[in-house]
Amino acid sequence: FFLMSRRPPRSTQSRSSAASDVYKRQALKYGASIKNPQQFTFNDNLVFGVGARNFTEDMIVDLTVGIFLENLGEQTEGIILQGNVVAGSEGFGYTYPAPACDKSNYFINNQAHSSEIGFVAMNEHKCIQIKNLVAFRTEDGILSYYKSEQIQASELIVFDNKFGLTLNAVSDSMDNKVTVENSYIAGNILPTTTAVECSERRGVRMSVATFFGKELPVKRSSLPMYKAKSEGAFYADITFRGNTFAHFRNDQTIGCVNNYIFVTNDEASDSIPPHKVSSSKLVNVSQTAIARFDEPKQSWANTDDCGEWTCTGLWNTLIYDLDGSLTGQNGTLIPENKKAISSICEDLQNSNGYFCKGTSYGILMFESLDSDRLKRLITPINITAQNSLYSNDLNTYMDHTCLLYTSPSPRDS
């Protein structure tokens, strides 16, 4: 652990646009803003106690960030950022352009702790890679929600975070894909004696796929970076394979609550794609801490958002345990949508959901093609199966425009 200073900085951040710079093994108290780097090495540095950022006219973004890397573009050859530690930031630990999946990874073996968000990975590549990072004791460990429709994440270590991973795909295509492999995702790994120390640890905020992502805010915003404020995409392939999930329990001490491997994105009004999980290793995980499904917000039921009835995306998502390595048997985790529950499904305690044997469940999505579909709202829509008790009431997507409620989305999930 590092001794962190919360004293506001009295000088500007370290900045560089030189053609060839090397920064190694330095203690930087006020953070580093690195712009237009070429042939640049920034290794083994400690950035600690970043409490503010002295904004100057040449800075576009006024955010408190431990290491801010910008304007990298396609050029990554000759650039290396490895072995750095951001120990305490009032804002983000790192914001960096994640390398394309077909490029060498210049950004590895970096750590962030005691920050609002450990890592914010951003780029406009179709596919980005996020690898070999460590995040702990943050509000959000590693987050990506910008313009990439595919994310390849591997060899990550996240533990003791309020939320460990939030990785969202962005495009209106059918190629949306998020893959997390060979990573260590844990709750509180240290012995605890108080409810505060052992509560509110979630490993994965379930991925969403939307038409548009989130720009980096110019200034610190009260709106969370993970909030889905764009129409949900039709399809996304979300896969968790070969990961270790450790130390998620709600019985460590009296009052210990809200520790889960998977939780839904409570701001995903429209849809959350199915998540496929396989080849998992569980260490000190209770069955009541596998997943938690949020209820749709009743505040969405207004003419500016979902109409007179709340959006239903959070009631219609799935987690597939393809090989039984997550729950102990092959099956599907689904929210507590009581009308859609089969008699073979079992109630999951403290999870607001059910476990259903088998993986034959799916999500039906359909779209109106009527010429006036953006001006007319049809809701609710009831789906009933013949010769069964299945009945599901659906609402259309949220209106994500900034105008009055004149353009409801025509899709239902």
Side-chain angles (χ1 to χ4, degrees), residues 137-342:
R137 295 202 169 184
T138 70
E139 292 286 313
D140 283 273
I142 302 173
L143 183 147
S144 183
Y145 190 15
Y146 190 51
K147 296 182 180 180
S148 298
E149 59 189 74
Q150 297 181 11
I151 299 174
Q152 294 180 2
S154 65
E155 301 173 68
L156 305 175
I157 298 175
V158 291
F159 62 92
D160 202 11
N161 300 288
K162 188 173 182 179
F163 295 93
L165 298 179
T166 303
L167 305 176
N168 296 333
V170 178
S171 86
D172 59 354
S173 75
M174 297 294 285
D175 295 327
N176 294 306
K177 186 174 184 179
V178 176
T179 302
V180 179
E181 297 180 297
N182 304 322
S183 295
Y184 179 82
I185 302 169
N188 194 335
I189 66 174
L190 299 175
T192 59
T193 58
T194 68
V196 174
E197 292 176 341
C198 75
S199 296
E200 308 289 340
R201 305 295 193 272
R202 295 92 162 184
V204 178
R205 181 188 278 120
M206 293 174 65
S207 300
V208 299
T210 59
F211 281 14
F212 302 100
K214 302 294 285 290
E215 297 284 344
L216 194 66
V218 176
K219 295 184 178 181
R220 190 168 182 176
S221 171
S222 60
L223 296 177
M225 287 284 290
Y226 66 86
K227 186 174 183 177
K229 286 297 293 180
S230 173
E231 184 175 346
F234 248 116
Y235 175 79
D237 183 351
I238 314 295
T239 300
F240 283 75
R241 180 171 50 238
N243 301 292
T244 297
F245 302 106
H247 306 293
F248 290 98
R249 307 190 67 88
N250 291 306
D251 56 3
Q252 298 179 47
T253 189
I254 296 175
C256 188
V257 295
N258 294 331
N259 300 295
Y260 299 98
I261 297 175
F262 290 95
V263 293
T264 46
N265 184 332
D266 64 351
E267 295 288 351
S269 58
D270 297 344
S271 65
I272 297 179
H275 284 48
K276 298 181 292 186
V277 183
S278 64
S279 302
S280 303
K281 179 181 179 181
L282 269 60
V283 178
N284 190 30
V285 174
S286 66
Q287 286 298 302
T288 59
I290 299 295
R292 172 73 186 181
F293 299 98
D294 292 292
E295 288 283 326
K297 296 181 178 182
Q298 292 305 312
S299 60
W300 292 339
N302 64 80
T303 55
D304 289 334
D305 292 326
C306 301
E308 296 181 359
W309 195 43
T310 190
C311 292
T312 53
L314 287 170
W315 276 326
N316 295 278
T317 187
L318 307 168
I319 301 175
Y320 295 121
D321 185 359
L322 298 179
D323 56 5
S325 60
L326 183 65
T327 62
Q329 57 182 319
N330 172 274
T332 306
L333 301 171
I334 64 176
E336 191 175 354
N337 188 346
K338 293 185 180 298
K339 291 184 177 181
I341 299 299
S342 168

Side-chain angles (χ1 to χ4, degrees), residues 82-142:
Q82 298 182 7
N84 300 290
V85 176
V86 174
S89 171
E90 294 290 347
F92 306 158
Y94 304 75
T95 61
Y96 77 102
C101 294
D102 58 352
K103 300 291 185 180
S104 60
N105 193 348
Y106 72 94
F107 190 89
I108 60 175
N109 297 328
N110 297 297
Q111 298 185 28
H113 73 79
S114 306
S115 302
E116 180 182 348
I117 302 178
F119 297 87
V120 179
M122 309 177 71
N123 218 323
E124 298 186 11
H125 302 305
K126 176 179 179 179
C127 179
I128 60 173
Q129 56 177 305
I130 302 174
K131 297 182 179 181
N132 297 101
L133 303 177
V134 179
F136 61 99
R137 295 202 169 184
T138 70
E139 292 286 313
D140 283 273
I142 302 173

